[in-house]
Amino acid sequence: MSDKIFRSLLLVSALILLLIFAGMFFSLSKGAVPAFREFGFFGFIFSDKWISGTGQSTEQYGALAFIAGTLMTSILALLICLPFSLPVAFFVGEYFRGKKVAGVLGGIVDLLAGIPSIVYGLWGFYALRPLIQSLGLSEQGFGVLTSSLVLAIMIIPYAASLSAEFIRMVPQELKEGAYSLGATRAEVIRNIIFPTSFSGIFSAYVLALGRAIGETMAVTMLIGNTSRIPRGLMDTGNTMASIIANQFGEADGLKLSSLIAIGLLLFLITAIVNFLGRLMIKRHSV
Amino acid sequence: MSSLKYRLFKNKLLTLSVVIFSALTAVPLVLIIGKVFLKGWRQINWDFFTKTTPTTLDALLAINNNQPIPGGIANGIVGTLMMVLVASVIAIPLGVMCGIYLSENRKTKFSTVVRFLTDLLQGTPSIILGIIAYLWVVIPLKGYSALAGSVALAIMMLPLIVRSTEETMNLLPASLKEAGLALGSPYRSVVLKVLLPSAFGGVFTGILLAVSRVIGETAPLMLTALGATTIQWDITKPASAVSLLIWEFYNDPNLQSMIWSASLFLLLLVLSLNILAKQLAKKWRI
Amino acid sequence: MENLNKTPILSLKKLCVSYTPGKFAVNNVSADIYEGLITSVMGPSGCGKSTLIRAINRMHELYPDIRISGNIELKGRDLLHINPSEVRRMAGMVFQRPNPFPTMSIYDNVLAGYKLIGIKQSRHEKDELVESSLKSVGLWDEVKDGLSKRGSFLSGGQQQRLCIARALALKPDILLMDEPTSALDPIATNLIEELLVKLKKEVTIVIVTHNMTQAARISDYSMFMYLGELVEYDRTEIMFTNPSDKRTEEYLTGKFG
């Protein structure tokens, strides 16, 4: 094997990665064509009807209900995760930075990221759902809020560990400068550390949002599987990921194409969210 | 109002709330692991690892005769291991080579694009990769298969391996490569015999983390491997996986007592891989 | 030799600082710093000179492993027994590398000492304070047309003068400077030295420097520290012409350090 072959092998492997990504986009688009042809691209996106009738004529599919469900659950999850992940980030990245206790908490929070989605779903179903029922929040215990609570726990590690990194990166000299003017730690955090690391922290939450949008199993088990726009936080619904997980197995024809179309939309949404998040990180570190 | 007393009070209040909310974040981990442990450990015995899943009927009979449900999750364990193994065989060489390429060609536009796509791929929801493997493998082979599951898992593993390889290679001193080349060794042997072994620790932990990330995946396997009640060694046939079994148990009222033991097994497997990878990373100081 | 003011403003008594128990970075230092003068602290690196001045404004408390004993009095107030936030407002500090706050404008940087702790001022008060502080560091004419720009757009020397203005805006009793010119080019250094000589009318200055000629040029009194101890403390002219300790002489003649 000559160097030339070796170098081209490396290049080919990078090309394959590019091809995989391009191929994913292509295959999803191709699979989605029948659905878009039937309902129109925007007609599909903006219709909240999901009727899988037996006869061809009654079939009607649209993504809006699931887009709504996805946005509701993931944004709510982000809001719930905020008051926990931000303290963790400051605990690890500032208050106890470099200390053993920060390592322990960081490790515990990281383990949260390791728990499989389906185990979260089980826990949500058998532990959280009864709690929601007994609080009288909803009769069945399923729904947007239940899903968001579990999603919030699932994305805490992503939001916290990345934010902690940006908090840690704030130069010590800036903090010392502020302390030398008589500021307390709270004042330094509020006026120096937070503004300096803000765009980084923001991007961490954008990436965490991306996680929440695409999370499948736990949501599938908790959201209640109804194919309409949720009418409130206690209502049931479906996310883009959960409708695919629920109905892909038995689907064919137009329905399969519609599910693939939802997959394409989900792929594009997460790609855009991740793209923005990464772009902000890049901007921040310059 | 900014008297010193008031300012110091605010400072204490912030410290206190950071500590309290951080501590609260650790609670779900304890609750989840606790629940799975308490409900699951009783079912774990020799049979659990060696026998295949019982049918609903067998389980029903056992329940009616007040006996423990017979059988185990051997089919799932074999399926999981096989699919992860095949996924690794696909993803590791490709990922490592692509990582080397990116590290060797840091500043080119092509590398920037590939790097960005790798990041986007890492943020792609696993269910999408299920659809992709369905379109790329299940449809051409005209049937669900372990191979299709492996392809989905491989694409999930790729970005993690690429980025960890690249990052570790980037950390190697430039002198290492120069020394190798100065001795007249060809480029390929410098990379394969000097750089890659020096980066082994980082690459290896990256692989471990990638494995621990996909080993608990459920959603993509539902669309590809489908599941099987017997141990299946043929990768072109449908196969089961531990996570798929949990999903089946969850949906079958007669098998529900096996949910927790299967979850406990999966949780322990994932978390120990996770911890092992992080310990190794610490030990090798990557 | 001219007669210098000998009113002590800051007095250190048996000051000890240790990073690890039993090992003293500053060992039993006692000295009086005189009002309206510039006192330089010299010594080889690692001699404890930075540690000494960072003990005065209790910067060390950011790093909890450090222990301080002894007594520090500024204008008769016991600095080790009042809140560090107050201490640091009486004893301003300028650091080695200029550290203007990058998220604030030049204007806000000067007022940072007030903004950070939530003191509200009228527009008029603020304008006046910004102008006078920037004038006293000779930066007013250079930046008055771009006060809303970020401080990080300035040159290194300008940034450092902005940091001095920021400290002066609090009207501190004493200004502690930790090698303030070591990151600057010779022209900027020169400018700051001239500035300090002018500033001593307003504020007492203690400056740590490893640059002996700088100490000779600008300071009235000099300290020489070695291995945590204050070896010699005297009028700068005397120290440089007729040092009483052999170690001082060896350091000043370049035999070590």
Side-chain angles (χ1 to χ4, degrees):
Chain A
M1 183 170 72
S2 81
D3 270 1
K4 216 171 185 181
I5 297 178
F6 180 72
R7 277 180 198 273
S8 39
L9 267 180
L10 292 182
L11 177 66
V12 164
S13 66
L15 271 172
I16 289 178
L17 220 117
L18 197 114
L19 284 178
I20 288 178
F21 198 85
M24 284 169 63
F25 179 67
F26 174 77
S27 295
L28 289 172
S29 306
K30 195 171 148 232
V33 163
F36 289 146
R37 191 170 291 149
E38 178 75 25
F39 306 112
F41 182 71
F42 291 105
F44 181 76
I45 292 177
F46 291 112
S47 159
D48 64 345
K49 296 229 161 40
W50 187 267
I51 305 160
S52 38
T54 36
Q56 286 281 330
S57 53
T58 54
E59 271 188 306
Q60 220 181 330
Y61 302 110
L64 192 65
F66 315 117
I67 296 175
T70 303
L71 290 182
M72 282 173 81
T73 47
S74 48
I75 290 174
L76 185 59
L78 203 63
L79 292 179
I80 299 171
C81 114
L82 203 68
F84 297 96
S85 52
L86 212 53
V88 169
F90 278 101
F91 187 102
V92 173
E94 166 65 20
Y95 278 93
F96 297 92
R97 174 182 177 196
K99 299 261 170 52
K100 214 168 199 168
V101 58
V104 171
L105 183 72
I108 288 177
V109 171
D110 274 352
L111 281 187
L112 281 175
I115 296 178
S117 178
I118 192 161
V119 176
Y120 274 110
L122 284 179
W123 181 77
F125 186 84
Y126 286 104
L128 197 62
R129 197 176 60 94
L131 184 73
I132 299 231
Q133 282 172 309
S134 66
L135 287 176
L137 291 173
S138 103
E139 215 163 281
Q140 289 297 312
F142 292 113
V144 174
L145 180 71
T146 318
S147 311
S148 299
L149 281 170
V150 172
L151 272 180
I153 300 173
M154 296 179 79
I155 61 173
I156 282 174
Y158 297 98
S161 64
L162 196 54
S163 306
E165 239 169 83
F166 289 113
I167 290 167
R168 215 177 285 134
M169 267 161 45
V170 174
Q172 192 64 20
E173 5 178 296
L174 285 187
K175 294 188 234 170
E176 288 197 347
Y179 281 117
S180 79
L181 296 168
T184 62
R185 181 172 231 160
E187 287 154 357
V188 173
I189 286 178
R190 209 188 135 224
N191 299 307
I192 304 297
I193 300 179
F194 194 69
T196 310
S197 56
F198 178 78
S199 65
I201 293 178
F202 189 80
S203 63
Y205 280 90
V206 171
L207 292 179
L209 179 72
R211 283 266 148 204
I213 288 174
E215 191 44 62
T216 312
M217 284 321 288
V219 178
T220 304
M221 293 161 84
L222 297 172
I223 196 159
N225 294 320
T226 48
S227 302
R228 55 182 164 83
I229 297 176
R231 287 190 200 107
L233 299 186
M234 293 307 146
D235 200 7
T236 53
N238 246 329
T239 64
M240 301 168 84
S242 74
I243 185 75
I244 299 173
N246 262 312
Q247 305 201 344
F248 199 89
E250 70 229 26
D252 53 13
L254 195 55
K255 187 173 183 184
L256 184 66
S257 172
S258 300
L259 287 171
I260 293 175
I262 290 176
L264 174 68
L265 295 177
L266 180 59
F267 177 68
L268 291 178
I269 292 174
T270 48
I272 291 169
V273 168
N274 278 292
F275 178 81
L276 292 177
R278 301 274 170 194
L279 202 69
M280 277 186 263
I281 290 183
K282 248 191 179 165
R283 286 268 166 81
H284 180 80
S285 34
V286 167
Chain B
M1 255 302 273
S2 65
S3 78
L4 186 60
K5 235 182 182 173
Y6 177 65
R7 290 173 49 219
L8 294 179
F9 169 73
K10 276 207 296 193
N11 186 41
K12 279 223 174 89
L13 194 69
L14 184 69
T15 310
L16 197 69
S17 22
V18 162
V19 170
I20 289 174
F21 279 90
S22 298
L24 281 177
T25 308
V27 171
L29 184 80
V30 179
L31 288 180
I32 292 170
I33 295 182
K35 177 107 182 165
V36 173
F37 243 99
L38 285 178
K39 296 200 107 180
W41 69 273
R42 251 175 251 145
Q43 281 274 332
I44 292 195
N45 49 34
W46 186 246
D47 279 1
F48 183 75
F49 297 103
T50 54
K51 296 249 171 80
T52 55
T53 356
T55 62
T56 304
L57 193 65
D58 289 342
L60 191 62
L61 286 175
I63 292 170
N64 286 342
N65 294 329
N66 234 342
Q67 281 167 343
I69 296 172
I73 56 165
N75 47 334
I77 296 175
V78 169
T80 293
L81 293 183
M82 192 169 72
M83 282 190 271
V84 169
L85 187 75
V86 176
S88 304
V89 168
I90 302 170
I92 293 172
L94 196 57
V96 169
M97 287 209 299
C98 184
I100 294 174
Y101 179 85
L102 291 181
S103 161
E104 290 290 300
N105 303 276
R106 281 179 215 184
K107 295 256 161 84
T108 64
K109 227 177 203 144
F110 177 65
S111 290
T112 315
V113 171
V114 172
R115 204 173 286 128
F116 225 92
L117 292 184
T118 314
D119 285 342
L120 293 190
L121 201 56
Q122 195 174 336
T124 303
S126 60
I127 187 98
I128 303 285
L129 301 173
I131 300 181
I132 292 299
Y134 177 87
L135 295 174
W136 289 358
V137 186
V138 174
I139 289 182
L141 293 184
K142 297 195 172 63
Y144 295 98
S145 64
L147 183 65
S150 302
V151 168
L153 299 187
I155 303 178
M156 277 188 79
M157 289 174 71
L158 259 179
L160 286 163
I161 297 175
V162 171
R163 292 315 296 267
S164 64
T165 304
E166 186 198 356
E167 275 159 27
T168 342
M169 297 275 292
N170 281 350
L171 291 179
L172 298 178
S175 55
L176 204 61
K177 183 172 150 193
E178 282 156 15
L181 290 174
L183 289 172
S185 333
Y187 179 71
R188 61 173 188 282
S189 45
V190 171
V191 171
L192 294 178
K193 292 185 181 146
V194 181
L195 298 186
L196 202 52
S198 316
F200 175 78
V203 176
F204 186 70
T205 43
I207 292 170
L208 274 188
L209 281 175
V211 168
S212 85
R213 189 177 157 208
V214 300
I215 210 166
E217 268 302 331
T218 318
L221 300 185
M222 286 163 55
L223 276 51
T224 52
L226 196 65
T229 49
T230 54
I231 294 178
Q232 182 58 262
W233 297 101
D234 185 348
I235 62 164
T236 59
K237 293 270 162 56
S240 192
V242 180
S243 56
L244 280 179
L245 285 181
I246 298 176
W247 179 241
E248 280 165 29
F249 299 156
Y250 169 78
N251 287 311
D252 188 335
N254 292 321
L255 291 170
Q256 278 183 2
S257 64
M258 294 188 71
I259 294 179
W260 297 103
S261 40
S263 297
L264 178 58
F265 173 77
L266 190 64
L267 193 62
L268 287 180
L269 192 65
V270 175
L271 292 189
S272 45
L273 267 174
N274 216 299
I275 294 172
L276 178 71
K278 279 175 191 144
Q279 289 302 317
L280 285 179
K282 225 186 247 167
K283 197 172 154 199
W284 289 331
R285 270 191 231 143
I286 303 147
Chain C
M1 214 180 320
E2 61 175 321
N3 269 330
L4 289 176
N5 175 10
K6 289 206 77 168
T7 323
I9 181 168
L10 176 76
S11 60
L12 313 174
K13 287 187 193 110
K14 296 189 176 163
L15 187 69
C16 297
V17 184
S18 63
Y19 293 93
T20 44
K23 274 185 159 179
F24 293 100
V26 169
N27 196 355
N28 210 15
V29 169
S30 298
D32 281 337
I33 308 287
Y34 303 113
E35 190 163 11
L37 302 181
I38 298 179
T39 305
S40 63
V41 187
M42 291 181 290
S45 46
C47 71
K49 52 191 194 298
S50 284
T51 309
L52 178 76
I53 68 160
R54 289 165 66 92
I56 296 169
N57 72 342
R58 293 179 59 186
M59 219 51 191
H60 290 314
E61 277 162 49
L62 303 179
Y63 311 95
D65 297 331
I66 298 173
R67 250 153 261 229
I68 302 180
S69 67
N71 202 335
I72 307 172
E73 269 180 24
L74 180 61
K75 281 195 160 172
R77 294 186 71 185
D78 181 356
L79 291 191
L80 291 181
H81 291 97
I82 49 182
N83 190 278
S85 175
E86 273 189 276
V87 172
R88 290 172 194 151
R89 296 175 76 77
M90 298 191 289
M93 182 164 251
V94 176
F95 297 82
Q96 261 186 45
R97 279 155 51 89
N99 55 357
F101 302 125
T103 49
M104 298 182 192
S105 64
I106 293 173
Y107 187 87
D108 286 346
N109 257 289
V110 177
L111 297 171
Y114 297 88
K115 299 217 152 207
L116 279 172
I117 72 163
I119 293 180
K120 298 262 184 297
Q121 295 162 292
S122 71
R123 180 84 213 180
H124 180 71
E125 271 179 300
K126 287 198 273 191
D127 287 347
E128 218 163 67
L129 191 59
V130 169
E131 185 173 341
S132 68
S133 304
L134 287 176
K135 272 184 176 158
S136 63
V137 296
L139 205 53
W140 177 250
D141 291 329
E142 293 164 51
V143 301
K144 66 180 175 204
D145 297 322
L147 287 175
S148 56
K149 279 191 201 146
R150 305 253 151 150
S152 37
F153 285 122
L154 300 172
S155 73
Q158 286 175 320
Q159 287 188 19
Q160 193 62 304
R161 280 185 285 150
L162 179 59
C163 292
I164 297 173
R166 181 176 76 185
L168 289 178
L170 286 175
K171 314 249 185 287
D173 297 320
I174 192 165
L175 189 61
L176 308 167
M177 309 188 90
D178 191 357
E179 302 191 21
T181 60
S182 63
L184 304 180
D185 62 73
I187 295 170
T189 300
N190 212 358
L191 212 59
I192 288 194
E193 286 180 5
E194 283 168 16
L195 171 68
L196 294 185
V197 174
K198 268 185 232 156
L199 274 179
K200 69 179 179 181
K201 281 185 213 97
E202 287 176 45
V203 62
T204 310
I205 294 170
V206 178
I207 176 171
V208 165
T209 176
H210 58 218
N211 179 344
M212 280 176 268
T213 55
Q214 182 173 61
R217 275 196 301 271
I218 64 174
S219 68
D220 304 295
Y221 272 83
S222 289
M223 291 184 178
F224 172 66
M225 288 185 71
Y226 186 59
L227 298 177
E229 281 174 44
L230 179 57
V231 174
E232 193 163 347
Y233 176 33
D234 213 329
R235 291 283 295 261
T236 301
E237 299 101 69
I238 298 176
M239 180 101 100
F240 275 85
T241 50
N242 189 17
S244 55
D245 194 286
K246 198 152 182 285
R247 287 171 292 178
T248 316
E249 190 185 337
E250 280 175 356
Y251 178 72
L252 292 174
T253 50
K255 293 220 172 85
F256 70 90

